Amino acid sequence: MLQTAATLGFLRLALGSNAFAAAVKPLTEAWAGGVADLARDFRQRSLSPLQWQQAIAGLNATVPIHELLSYIDFARLKTALESRGPGEHFERVRLPPLETSGQRIWTAIFILPQGDAIPPHAHNNLATAHLVLQGRFRARTFDRVEDAPGRMVLKPNMDAVFHVGETVSMSDDCDNAHWFIAENSPVFTFDVSLRSPDLRQYQNPTDRDGRIFIAPADGRRNDGLVEAAVIDYGTSLSRFGKAANFLMYR
């Protein structure tokens, strides 16, 4: 699934396992080709955002994840990424079948250290899928019901733990806002992201990383919806950047 250790610097493929690379090449090419096909269908509107989310989760489930992951040196990967500082980090992964597909698909490996959170945030005109490679990835998600300057109205949708080989996703139509934590160990995910073909007009712009940070803990309503103020990244990190903050929210 991942390209080469020369690119990433932390795969056991760096040790010269050409036999393994040859053995999995047809499978990884088929998977990457499937990702490209889904991206094309999504951009041509043959798939709705929700249908893309369901399809990418189904495609990811076809990967023999445990066999492939046995060739990834997670200890080395953890050291390499965590050396950049506290909090989440990512390494871009460029897969040849996706790079040449013309679909502008962004792929990367993320690490979330144990006890840390990716604070609650939403996206504009984006679809993403996070395939869990290691750890227990707990996700709380919200549908975006209303968008107004400086705030959003959200519908709580899911609070679930995702395990190795499982996928959590989002789009403009479903689970657009999310909040992630690594409870008991570091979490590694393989992410696929692409822009939506339907550019909706939102009232709140994203930051340079494509996120809008929000405070869903502040505005619960009697009808079950949540009014969430838009906040800056620093405030979000101080209030919601640890798993303990997530666990206090009910």
Side-chain angles (χ1 to χ4, degrees):
M1 179 163 57
L2 307 178
Q3 186 181 358
T4 66
T7 301
L8 300 176
F10 42 69
L11 299 184
R12 288 196 181 121
L13 294 178
L15 304 180
S17 182
N18 294 326
F20 170 77
V24 302
K25 184 177 179 181
L27 173 63
T28 55
E29 285 189 343
W31 173 85
V35 172
D37 289 345
L38 292 180
R40 180 200 61 227
D41 291 345
F42 180 53
R43 289 208 168 94
Q44 292 178 351
R45 299 176 178 82
S46 299
L47 291 175
S48 69
L50 180 56
Q51 287 173 328
W52 178 86
Q53 290 177 256
Q54 294 167 339
I56 192 72
L59 178 64
N60 284 348
T62 67
V63 177
I65 191 75
H66 294 285
E67 178 183 353
L68 290 175
L69 297 186
S70 67
Y71 288 84
I72 299 178
D73 189 339
F74 281 106
R76 188 177 177 189
L77 171 55
K78 179 176 180 291
T79 299
L81 293 181
E82 290 188 344
S83 67
R84 301 175 184 176
E88 63 169 316
H89 292 286
F90 73 89
E91 181 75 26
R92 180 74 191 276
V93 178
R94 289 178 170 85
L95 301 174
L98 300 186
E99 293 291 302
T100 59
S101 69
Q103 296 300 323
R104 292 185 297 174
I105 303 165
W106 190 88
T107 50
I109 284 184
F110 274 76
I111 180 175
L112 184 61
Q114 179 178 351
D116 280 359
I118 300 176
H121 62 278
H123 300 275
N124 293 341
N125 300 305
L126 189 71
T128 65
H130 314 271
L131 171 63
V132 180
L133 302 180
Q134 188 181 76
R136 297 174 71 253
F137 196 41
R138 186 168 175 183
R140 185 172 285 140
T141 70
F142 307 83
D143 289 341
R144 192 168 173 180
V145 176
E146 184 182 327
D147 190 69
R151 71 177 183 89
M152 296 178 190
V153 177
L154 306 173
K155 177 181 177 293
N157 196 24
M158 178 176 58
D159 186 345
V161 174
F162 291 81
H163 300 90
V164 172
E166 297 180 334
T167 299
V168 57
S169 64
M170 58 72 56
S171 70
D172 292 289
D173 286 356
C174 183
D175 297 324
N176 178 259
H178 44 208
W179 184 0
F180 301 125
I181 64 169
E183 287 185 90
N184 302 318
S185 66
V187 168
F188 296 88
T189 65
F190 184 82
D191 291 13
V192 175
S193 302
L194 61 157
R195 302 296 297 177
S196 172
D198 297 315
L199 297 180
R200 305 180 189 185
Q201 298 302 311
Y202 289 108
Q203 299 296 311
N204 294 291
T206 64
D207 65 10
R208 64 180 184 179
D209 294 321
R211 296 174 175 180
I212 308 162
F213 290 97
I214 51 178
D218 294 347
R220 301 183 194 180
R221 303 189 335 192
N222 291 334
D223 60 3
L225 299 180
V226 174
E227 294 208 22
V230 174
I231 58 179
D232 62 77
Y233 173 68
T235 301
S236 179
L237 198 63
S238 65
R239 292 190 59 191
F240 306 113
K242 294 294 181 182
N245 307 131
F246 181 104
L247 298 174
M248 291 173 59
Y249 178 84
R250 294 288 184 269

